[in-house]
């Protein structure tokens, strides 16, 4: 039975997260930070604070003493969801790959690192922290990679549908000044172009999101300004650009992404998205994205360190430890601050309309925990770990799936609503789960 | 006698500070952050992280158990320095108020909060932390206020010298469209204008420093962009502006500062800077600046809380405590990060020339500790506290005096060199003091 003291100690851990978020929200509304300045803070969070925070948590676990049942429950729940969504996509008339991916993000990928660890620790004690860290590790290493794969698979499928197969796009890349007269080629080129642009966008994570969603003009002005020096490399134009400034942007992106893109874009698009060589290309693109994401390094380095240190009993030298914690200590607060900045930059809290928002909330706060409960009981979890497992599934939406959704332009409004509106309503919902499960 | 373990534990505390600074330095050099984005991080540090960090430290001390001898030594050393500088200004042929102010900053105001607390704690143990916090409190509440007073006194003096007395500048403020034909009036107006602009700059602390010192153009572009909406309030031009864009800037500044400036600028400049009514005006300006500085609030609130909590044995509610620490935990790392960003934004590490830099270093690392040693021994400090007192005087230059110097345009290059170059050479010097005093 949960008493008032338990509840108070949970509030003690959670309210500061919301205070920080609100502070950021208010400072944008009061014009303390310009959009560019918000971009700087978000970029700091994406590149330094959060990866160092993940590293710090992951490197402290004992990978030889993982809770295998919890890991199994987590895996089973996600695979169950995937199977259901796969069947729906292929067998139902309403089924679509697009919505399957979004539903997967919504129902299985909560915010474990920033919200989960402090919340679950305050609810179930310090020793349950390691369960949450295990969830973080699995999410970073397995589930985000799978999600990226799904996005890239969809991208490849759409590219084939758009180009209708048979256009060798790499030709138009190698020949800068001559542009094919075929309208179709232009279009498919645009898709590739967009794709390359999007893969650049990945670098900036949530930064560009904030800059571009709300106040596009100054953000573009800044980008053009900052990167002018790269422009001289070569000038390369396409007919599909709607305005000269859009074209300039493409040129820049092209310049920066030139070599990388070459390796990725040799479509020979006659193949189906499921063919082995297409799969190889998709996997290549996934790797390319993972290599550019600081969180990948944080997870892999953290896990490697954990494996090595537990095997050979090595400890991090204190100087190294302190060098990481000096910035990772900033991670939690800064991540919440960044979320508040993002919230304030959105024109509406519910961007996707009330109906979609309601579906999203059901997926996040009802379907997700329900599937997790079934899977957990199925693999034999009982007692506190079962409670932890269900409550962590009812946390607000994770940020990374939103960043991907934005990057691939797949229902970003739904995911943004899930993150923002989800944060607001998650506290009572998560507390309700906590109280009900504690009865 | 200091052994290797002692030294290692000090390095353990200090090296991470430098690692963080270097990380920031490298990320600017690698173009990870644009100047605007650096501005965002610096602004976050200036408005939230550092004030919350001061509050957190100050609110934890026991003001009824301050180390009175240390406080006396600190006061005596600063007053001694002031007396020497006052005599030099008034009696020596080479003496000048300008250099007296700069020498006072250099020799008596080290970086106690960010560098001092972690360093001294690692050298002399956790219980000596409170000594450093006391130094922080005194600096924030007394010495920065005095420094501001000196700057404003000099400003008033210069204003009188420039206007030659007798011009009523407030006239040109109240009458927007008509500009006097007198060249002198234009000039004195420019001084006021510059002053108002500078007082705006205060808001942005180190932000604008970074933006304006190094890459002026994009910063102005952004500022104009961001604040366009304020421009319509009224258009007001002066002949002294060198370009239309400079004029637009003045207009904006004028708009924002309109009311505040009115209260401040009624010079009736016939008086001498030492007259009571002039002193009153200077004090008014000092208050106006203090009111705009988040650190003032942090110190006063922190001290008030400390007084109340120690008197009546109240404890901060855990929710409040956590709401502060979630961001103040970020303070140390973020402050060092911000310092690294600043360093990278400077065209040179030694901005003021080698000769001035050498004088500055002597003032900071030799004269400062020497005067402190004399004062400390004079008031009867002995043993560890004497060592603490001397070592803390040999810390690198504080940031706030640099921000003031930049704001009042008084040897900002010398102070910038003291901050940047001082950081680099301070580690061996401070360690040397530590080892020598420990013999």
């Amino acid at each position: 039975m949960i008493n008032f003291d338990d509840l108070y100690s949970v509030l003690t851990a959670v309210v500061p997260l919301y205070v920080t978020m609100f502070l950021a929200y208010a400072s944008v509304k009061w014009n303390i930070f310009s959009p560019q300045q918000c971009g700087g803070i978000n970029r700091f969070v994406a590149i330094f604070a959060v990866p160092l925070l993940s590293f710090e948590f992951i490197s402290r676990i004992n990978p030889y003493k993982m809770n295998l049942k919890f890991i199994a429950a987590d895996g089973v729940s996600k695979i169950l969801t995937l199977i259901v969504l796969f069947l729906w996509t292929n067998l139902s008339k309403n089924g679509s790959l697009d919505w399957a991916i979004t539903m997967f993000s919504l129902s299985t990928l909560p915010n474990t690192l920033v919200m989960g660890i402090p919340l679950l620790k305050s609810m179930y004690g310090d020793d349950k922290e390691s369960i949450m860290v295990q969830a973080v590790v699995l999410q970073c290493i397995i589930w985000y990679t799978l999600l990226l794969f799904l996005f890239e698979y969809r991208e490849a499928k759409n590219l084939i549908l758009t180009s209708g197969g048979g256009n060798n796009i790499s030709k138009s890349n190698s020949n800068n000044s001559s542009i094919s007269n075929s309208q179709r080629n232009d279009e498919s080129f645009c898709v590739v172009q967009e794709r390359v642009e999007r893969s650049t966008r990945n670098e900036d994570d949530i930064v560009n999101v904030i800059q571009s969603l709300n106040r596009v003009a100054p953000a573009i002005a800044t980008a053009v300004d900052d990167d002018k020096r790269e422009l001289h490399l070569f000038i390369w134009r396409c007919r599909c650009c709607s305005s000269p400034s859009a074209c300039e942007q493409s040129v820049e992106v092209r310049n920066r992404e030139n070599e990388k893109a070459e390796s990725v874009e040799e479509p020979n698009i006659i193949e189906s998205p499921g063919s082995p060589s297409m799969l190889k290309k998709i996997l290549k693109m996934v790797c390319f994205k993972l290599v550019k994401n600081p969180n990948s390094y944080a997870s892999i380095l953290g896990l490697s360190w954990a494996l090595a240190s537990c095997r050979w009993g090595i400890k991090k030298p204190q100087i190294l430890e302190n060098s990481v914690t000096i910035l990772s200590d900033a991670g939690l607060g800064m991540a919440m601050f960044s979320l508040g900045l993002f919230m304030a930059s959105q024109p509406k809290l519910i961007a996707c309309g009330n109906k979609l928002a309601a579906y999203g909330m059901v997926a996040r706060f009802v379907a997700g925990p329900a599937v997790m409960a079934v899977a957990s009981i199925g693999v034999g979890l009982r007692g506190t770990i079962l409670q932890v497992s269900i409550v962590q599934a009812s946390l607000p939406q994770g940020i990374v799936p939103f960043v991907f959704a934005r990057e691939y332009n797949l229902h970003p409004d739904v995911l943004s609503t899930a993150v923002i509106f989800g944060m607001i309503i998650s506290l009572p919902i998560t507390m309700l789960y906590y109280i009900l499960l504690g009865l």
Side-chain angles (χ1 to χ4, degrees), chain A residues 185-321:
Chain A
N185 202 3
D186 264 10
E187 269 168 24
S188 67
F189 162 74
C190 264
V191 174
V192 173
Q193 182 65 10
E194 208 190 324
R195 209 171 158 216
V196 175
E197 281 184 33
R198 243 182 268 136
S199 72
T200 320
R201 226 179 280 155
N202 188 26
E203 271 183 38
D204 291 0
D205 299 312
I206 230 170
V207 178
N208 276 354
V209 173
I210 290 197
Q211 293 191 332
S212 58
L213 278 188
N214 202 23
R215 319 184 204 193
V216 175
I220 287 182
T222 322
V224 171
D225 217 8
D226 286 344
D227 300 322
K228 215 165 264 164
R229 64 193 168 286
E230 294 183 36
L231 266 174
H232 67 278
L233 293 179
F234 67 86
I235 299 293
W236 178 74
R237 290 190 181 279
C238 63
R239 286 192 193 160
C240 54
C241 291
S242 53
S243 75
S245 75
C247 237
E248 271 189 297
Q249 285 255 310
S250 323
V251 174
E252 282 165 50
V253 168
R254 182 75 200 141
N255 290 342
R256 280 194 265 168
E257 289 300 301
N258 203 12
E259 289 157 49
K260 291 172 200 161
E262 297 264 299
S263 65
V264 175
E265 293 156 22
E266 295 148 353
N268 292 329
I269 314 175
I270 316 171
E271 307 149 64
S272 88
S275 75
S277 75
M278 201 61 201
L279 280 181
K280 212 176 123 193
K281 271 164 202 152
I282 294 174
L283 285 176
K284 219 168 162 181
M285 195 70 185
V286 170
C287 287
F288 169 58
K289 302 238 163 186
L290 290 178
V291 163
K292 283 171 71 185
N293 189 342
N295 285 308
S296 313
Y297 297 97
S299 315
I300 291 171
L301 279 177
L303 194 59
S304 312
W305 179 262
L307 284 165
S309 70
C310 292
R311 169 72 69 197
W312 296 296
I314 322 163
K315 275 198 162 184
K316 263 182 261 177
Q318 198 59 38
I319 279 191
L320 179 70
E321 176 77 17

Side-chain angles (χ1 to χ4, degrees), chain A residues 4 6 8 39 159 173 186-187 238 280 315 329 389 418:
Chain A
F4 178 76
D6 294 334
Y8 181 75
L159 190 63
N173 288 345
D186 264 10
E187 269 168 24
C238 63
K280 212 176 123 193
K315 275 198 162 184
D329 279 350
S389 152

Side-chain angles (χ1 to χ4, degrees), chain A residues 89-384:
Chain A
T89 308
N90 288 299
L91 304 180
S92 160
K93 249 201 324 204
N94 299 321
S96 82
L97 179 61
D98 288 8
W99 279 108
I101 295 175
T102 300
M103 292 310 285
F104 179 71
S105 293
L106 284 174
S107 56
T108 66
L109 297 169
N111 188 341
T112 43
L113 181 70
V114 175
M115 288 294 289
I117 294 178
L119 191 65
L120 276 284
K121 208 170 130 180
S122 69
M123 285 173 170
Y124 298 106
D126 287 357
D127 59 320
K128 296 297 174 295
E129 184 187 290
S130 81
I131 299 268
M132 281 317 295
V133 179
Q134 289 166 32
V136 171
V137 178
L138 294 172
Q139 243 185 26
C140 284
I141 294 180
I142 300 177
W143 303 113
Y144 288 158
T145 309
L146 178 73
L147 188 64
L148 255 181
F149 179 85
L150 290 174
F151 274 115
E152 279 298 330
Y153 178 83
R154 168 185 165 269
E155 199 79 344
K157 216 172 154 184
N158 285 353
L159 190 63
I160 290 159
L161 287 176
T162 318
S163 68
N167 278 320
N168 192 342
I169 292 167
S170 59
K171 208 184 246 174
S172 69
N173 288 345
S174 57
N175 195 343
N176 300 326
S177 55
S178 84
I179 283 156
S180 153
N181 286 327
S182 140
Q183 176 65 27
R184 199 208 261 160
N185 202 3
D186 264 10
E187 269 168 24
S188 67
F189 162 74
C190 264
V191 174
V192 173
Q193 182 65 10
E194 208 190 324
R195 209 171 158 216
V196 175
E197 281 184 33
R198 243 182 268 136
S199 72
T200 320
R201 226 179 280 155
N202 188 26
E203 271 183 38
D204 291 0
D205 299 312
I206 230 170
V207 178
N208 276 354
V209 173
I210 290 197
Q211 293 191 332
S212 58
L213 278 188
N214 202 23
R215 319 184 204 193
V216 175
I220 287 182
T222 322
V224 171
D225 217 8
D226 286 344
D227 300 322
K228 215 165 264 164
R229 64 193 168 286
E230 294 183 36
L231 266 174
H232 67 278
L233 293 179
F234 67 86
I235 299 293
W236 178 74
R237 290 190 181 279
C238 63
R239 286 192 193 160
C240 54
C241 291
S242 53
S243 75
S245 75
C247 237
E248 271 189 297
Q249 285 255 310
S250 323
V251 174
E252 282 165 50
V253 168
R254 182 75 200 141
N255 290 342
R256 280 194 265 168
E257 289 300 301
N258 203 12
E259 289 157 49
K260 291 172 200 161
E262 297 264 299
S263 65
V264 175
E265 293 156 22
E266 295 148 353
N268 292 329
I269 314 175
I270 316 171
E271 307 149 64
S272 88
S275 75
S277 75
M278 201 61 201
L279 280 181
K280 212 176 123 193
K281 271 164 202 152
I282 294 174
L283 285 176
K284 219 168 162 181
M285 195 70 185
V286 170
C287 287
F288 169 58
K289 302 238 163 186
L290 290 178
V291 163
K292 283 171 71 185
N293 189 342
N295 285 308
S296 313
Y297 297 97
S299 315
I300 291 171
L301 279 177
L303 194 59
S304 312
W305 179 262
L307 284 165
S309 70
C310 292
R311 169 72 69 197
W312 296 296
I314 322 163
K315 275 198 162 184
K316 263 182 261 177
Q318 198 59 38
I319 279 191
L320 179 70
E321 176 77 17
N322 289 0
S323 299
V324 173
T325 52
I326 191 172
L327 280 180
S328 71
D329 279 350
L332 189 60
M334 295 295 289
M336 291 309 295
F337 198 86
S338 164
L339 205 56
L341 293 179
F342 168 67
M343 223 179 229
S345 75
Q346 298 297 299
K348 299 198 231 176
L349 289 187
I350 299 180
C352 62
N354 293 340
K355 202 178 144 194
L356 277 183
Y359 284 140
M361 294 303 121
V362 170
R364 175 91 296 275
F365 295 112
V366 181
V371 176
M372 192 67 190
V374 170
S376 302
I377 294 167
V379 301
L381 279 188
R382 294 291 179 275
T384 315

